[in-house]
Amino acid sequence: MQCYVYRSRRKPGSYLFLPEKGDFGRVPDVLLKIFGEPEFSFDFQLGAERKLMLKVEAAEVRRVLQENGFFLQLPPSDEENITLQG
């Protein structure tokens, strides 16, 4: 499955994954308002063997993309950063 990744200028570290380039039709309007104008970042082939820099497995990202039409990656909270560093 091809995956298209957009970053948020308004919310640093937030990324929106889409199965079709530029198709925000299934992304809720309220989410897009919070996310801000999506800026295309990159695309890649999302396969089961693909290693992601997320706490979520590729299979889960793929499932959410197929069910919801998008996957939202948020930055770790400050509390998580402290836990990861400590």
Side-chain angles (χ1 to χ4, degrees):
M1 161 186 256
Q2 194 67 17
C3 187
Y4 301 89
V5 182
Y6 293 80
R7 70 175 149 245
S8 172
R9 290 182 181 172
R10 188 178 291 167
K11 299 286 184 184
S14 297
Y15 295 89
L16 200 56
F17 292 59
L18 298 176
E20 294 182 38
K21 189 171 184 177
D23 184 2
F24 298 93
R26 294 183 62 193
V27 181
D29 289 338
V30 71
L31 173 60
L32 286 175
K33 285 180 183 177
I34 294 167
F35 193 81
E37 176 92 27
E39 180 180 30
F40 180 73
S41 186
F42 62 96
D43 66 298
F44 67 98
Q45 187 64 32
L46 179 61
E49 69 289 340
R50 177 83 184 204
K51 298 289 183 199
L52 301 175
M53 302 284 289
L54 304 170
K55 291 184 177 184
V56 181
E57 295 292 325
E60 178 66 7
V61 173
R62 191 179 184 120
R63 182 190 68 75
V64 172
L65 280 170
Q66 290 172 338
E67 287 181 13
N68 299 334
F70 70 95
F71 177 86
L72 178 62
Q73 175 188 332
L74 298 172
S77 68
D78 290 337
E79 183 178 310
E80 288 175 326
N81 286 334
I82 292 168
T83 303
L84 292 174
Q85 293 175 9

